[in-house]
Amino acid sequence: MTDRVLILDFGSQVTQLIARRVRESGVYSEIHPFNIGEAAIRDFGAKAIILSGGPASVAAHGTPAAPPVVFELGLPVLGICYGEQTMVDVLGGAVESSDHREFGRATVRVEAECRLFDGVWRPGESHQVWMSHGDRVISLPAGFRVVGTSEGAPFAAVADEDQRFYGVQFHPEVVHTPSGAQLLQNFTHGIAGCAGDWSMAAFREQAIERIRAQVGRGKVICGLSGGVDSSVVAVLLHEAIGEQLTCIFVDHGLLREGEAEQVIELFRNHYNIPLVHREASGLFLDALDGVGDPEAKRKIIGGLFIDVFEEEAKAIGGARFLAQGTLYPDVIESVSATGGPSVTIKSHHNVGGLPARMNMALVEPVRDLFKDEVRALGRDLGLPEAFIRRHPFPGPGLAIRIPGPVTREKADLLRRADAIYLEEIREAGLYDEIWQAFAALLPVRAVGVMGDERTYDWVCALRAVTSTDGMTADSFAFSHDFLSRTATRIVNEVPGISRVVYDVTSKPPGTIEWE
């Protein structure tokens, strides 16, 4: 059985990065809320446990605490930031609020040998790390010693080597701690003894076994959106259960230019997977008429998808399962560490279940994967590279790229502008350098002059971001020539759009969608 690392989440905005770094080293990891319960922690079968950071103060009353069972299992434990503080507090040390806070880059001085530092840091050396804390440890539990200090944290790294308990005040999971990935690997491989043999090929085999065990001889409907996630799910399901699978592709009139034709060609003609193509643009656009709130639009689209699937399921007859491309971030974001299920995030996905009236069970074979891992699985399955590299484009499609009410006219304008933008990006050889790029139609009109005529037309915004994980994003630095050329094409070729602006804002951890 593949070694597993359990990550207990205390609400840090970068907890997902811990799981990613651990997986990148070949060790399977999962994130669960700190309060999942003693039985769940014992039954997980972890080889090691990591306690994440969090926004709370250990020194305050009623804040989250590490479950005592974590320290009773005989497993290696690594506490990160808040995780270090709650570990120290639970085991008998002390933590206090400090006037000397550290946020951002800091320097840790290595004070002693430690297995966590093997081959990476040596005593007497100083290394850059990323700090984010107000509280600090002021005394250690019995058995612990200081192995690293910083200006604001005299207990920046601590260790009880006998029990294999370690704590760091900094964040090794972020790129701003250059040696962080190696420190995490020292913990998972060197200290915990994980084999590091988890791979996408192994995941594929296990996923196929799980699919067959879940569905038996039952019929499965897969909802195709044209994106990477659902495409990978469809091909994986087809490999697992063959003709038991029928894909349903709903064209809601809010797709990008040419996407419907590409989906039909790939799955019906190339893979020969049974495919129902439902043209339902009128249904969706009528339902969205006059609706401006983005969350309301998401729920309308999600609800209609359910309705359409019910109709198609009845037409197909006997389908017992609905498959969809839920990803690990969808699952994590739908349950917060401290507040339970989210009521807004990923509302267009059915994370957690389907309406009872559908009488169908969900099949979510990639719900344990991050986006880049799904791409790797797609390559392993032999999907065309053009599909695998496709930028993320959420299920609601153009509806959330049109702030305010959606109309067919606006959708057509935006579809053409978006296509021109992507054409220019590809021709410039920039597509693979960008995580996500799209055009949006702003809910304002601008007065201008084109030739000898005065115009009063829509304003188009262009967005392009870079990201390594889909959690944080920075705007892509296009050249002035590129933006000028693209804007000129859009204004000249899309009647109804007279202005083009470029959005240069970045996004903090969380969804990188733009509304």
Side-chain angles (χ1 to χ4, degrees):
M1 180 178 176
T2 302
D3 293 330
R4 292 153 61 88
V5 170
L6 171 62
I7 300 167
L8 293 181
D9 181 22
F10 291 88
S12 170
Q13 60 183 354
V14 291
T15 298
Q16 290 186 36
L17 292 182
I18 304 173
R20 290 179 55 79
R21 298 295 171 259
V22 172
R23 290 186 182 190
E24 286 166 2
S25 69
V27 179
Y28 181 72
S29 63
E30 286 185 14
I31 299 169
H32 291 275
F34 74 94
N35 54 1
I36 57 171
E38 179 176 328
I41 293 173
R42 290 184 182 276
D43 294 344
F44 184 82
K47 197 78 178 280
I49 296 175
I50 297 177
L51 310 177
S52 85
S57 169
V58 172
H61 176 71
T63 51
V69 66
V70 166
F71 310 106
E72 299 167 0
L73 296 174
L75 299 174
V77 180
L78 172 62
I80 295 174
C81 196
Y82 186 93
E84 180 201 41
Q85 295 166 5
T86 186
M87 176 169 65
V88 166
D89 183 61
V90 169
L91 293 177
V95 179
E96 70 173 7
S97 296
S98 171
D99 294 332
H100 195 132
R101 302 184 302 170
E102 288 181 305
F103 291 94
R105 288 180 175 84
T107 299
V108 165
R109 175 180 168 82
V110 182
E111 303 293 348
E113 295 277 359
C114 175
R115 292 184 66 190
L116 197 63
F117 303 156
D118 281 353
V120 185
W121 291 357
R122 296 180 178 84
E125 294 180 345
S126 294
H127 294 272
Q128 177 187 302
V129 298
W130 187 265
M131 293 280 195
S132 180
H133 70 97
D135 293 358
R136 67 177 182 178
V137 176
I138 57 172
S139 68
L140 292 176
F144 278 82
R145 63 192 175 95
V146 177
V147 294
T149 60
S150 72
E151 183 179 352
F155 300 88
V158 300
D160 179 340
E161 301 265 33
D162 291 338
Q163 297 194 82
R164 297 184 296 173
F165 295 164
Y166 301 85
V168 292
Q169 187 60 73
F170 56 89
H171 288 272
E173 68 271 29
V174 303
V175 296
H176 307 294
T177 300
S179 304
Q182 294 96 315
L183 297 180
L184 286 172
Q185 186 164 327
N186 278 351
F187 176 71
T188 56
H189 292 63
I191 295 169
C194 294
D197 58 357
W198 184 73
S199 67
M200 199 48 61
F203 178 89
R204 174 183 174 181
E205 294 179 6
Q206 293 165 4
I208 288 173
E209 291 177 4
R210 286 195 297 267
I211 291 167
R212 290 171 177 167
Q214 180 183 4
V215 308
R217 298 303 303 167
K219 291 184 179 180
V220 181
I221 292 174
C222 177
L224 273 180
S225 68
V228 176
D229 309 333
S230 63
S231 298
V232 170
V233 166
V235 176
L236 179 65
L237 284 166
H238 190 246
E239 181 170 311
I241 59 174
E243 295 300 310
Q244 292 170 242
L245 171 69
T246 299
C247 289
I248 298 176
F249 174 52
V250 179
D251 185 351
H252 50 32
L254 300 163
L255 298 168
R256 283 178 147 160
E257 188 171 272
E259 278 196 343
E261 294 78 9
Q262 292 170 11
V263 171
I264 293 170
E265 171 62 29
L266 179 66
F267 291 94
R268 182 179 287 168
N269 301 333
H270 178 75
Y271 279 107
N272 198 31
I273 297 175
L275 174 66
V276 174
H277 175 212
R278 174 73 176 269
E279 207 295 320
S281 60
L283 178 68
F284 281 83
L285 290 171
D286 286 347
L288 292 169
D289 185 31
V291 179
D293 178 71
E295 188 59 27
K297 287 190 284 188
R298 288 175 177 276
K299 291 180 178 177
I300 288 170
I301 292 170
L304 280 178
F305 261 104
I306 295 290
D307 293 341
V308 170
F309 273 114
E310 283 189 287
E311 293 176 16
E312 297 302 332
K314 290 177 182 176
I316 293 169
R320 295 172 48 204
F321 300 92
L322 172 62
Q324 64 180 23
T326 304
L327 300 190
Y328 199 37
D330 301 333
V331 177
I332 296 169
E333 291 168 0
S334 67
V335 180
S336 70
T338 56
S342 166
V343 295
T344 58
I345 296 175
K346 302 297 179 187
S347 54
H348 58 288
H349 274 175
N350 306 299
V351 179
L354 293 168
R357 69 175 189 273
M358 290 192 69
N359 195 29
M360 298 176 74
L362 276 175
V363 179
E364 299 171 309
V366 297
R367 67 179 282 131
D368 293 329
L369 299 183
F370 290 99
K371 189 77 173 188
D372 59 329
E373 293 171 335
V374 172
R375 294 185 195 278
L377 177 59
R379 290 188 177 93
D380 200 66
L381 289 165
L383 266 165
E385 194 65 23
F387 256 77
I388 292 170
R389 297 199 317 268
R390 181 172 287 179
H391 290 173
F393 195 66
L398 299 180
I400 56 170
R401 309 298 184 224
I402 303 174
V406 178
T407 65
R408 189 178 293 275
E409 176 194 16
K410 287 181 180 179
D412 290 341
L413 287 176
L414 181 55
R415 199 175 350 257
R416 184 82 280 268
D418 183 73
I420 292 170
Y421 182 34
L422 293 183
E423 284 174 16
E424 290 293 331
I425 288 174
R426 288 190 174 96
E427 289 180 12
L430 300 174
Y431 190 84
D432 291 339
E433 296 182 32
I434 296 169
W435 170 267
Q436 185 183 50
F438 55 84
L441 195 67
L442 300 184
V444 294
R445 290 191 174 193
V447 177
V449 176
M450 297 181 68
D452 296 324
E453 296 182 358
R454 188 172 298 279
T455 61
Y456 182 58
D457 290 326
W458 297 105
V459 177
C460 175
L462 305 181
R463 176 104 164 109
V465 296
T466 59
S467 178
T468 58
D469 46 47
M471 293 172 57
T472 60
D474 289 319
S475 60
F476 185 80
F478 286 118
S479 68
H480 175 77
D481 288 344
F482 174 89
L483 292 174
S484 177
R485 181 172 63 252
T486 303
T488 299
R489 277 198 63 191
I490 291 173
V491 170
N492 286 341
E493 298 178 31
V494 188
I497 295 178
S498 62
R499 292 287 185 277
V500 177
V501 298
Y502 183 58
D503 176 12
V504 296
T505 57
S506 297
K507 289 288 289 181
T511 178
I512 61 173
E513 297 174 21
W514 185 95
E515 297 176 346

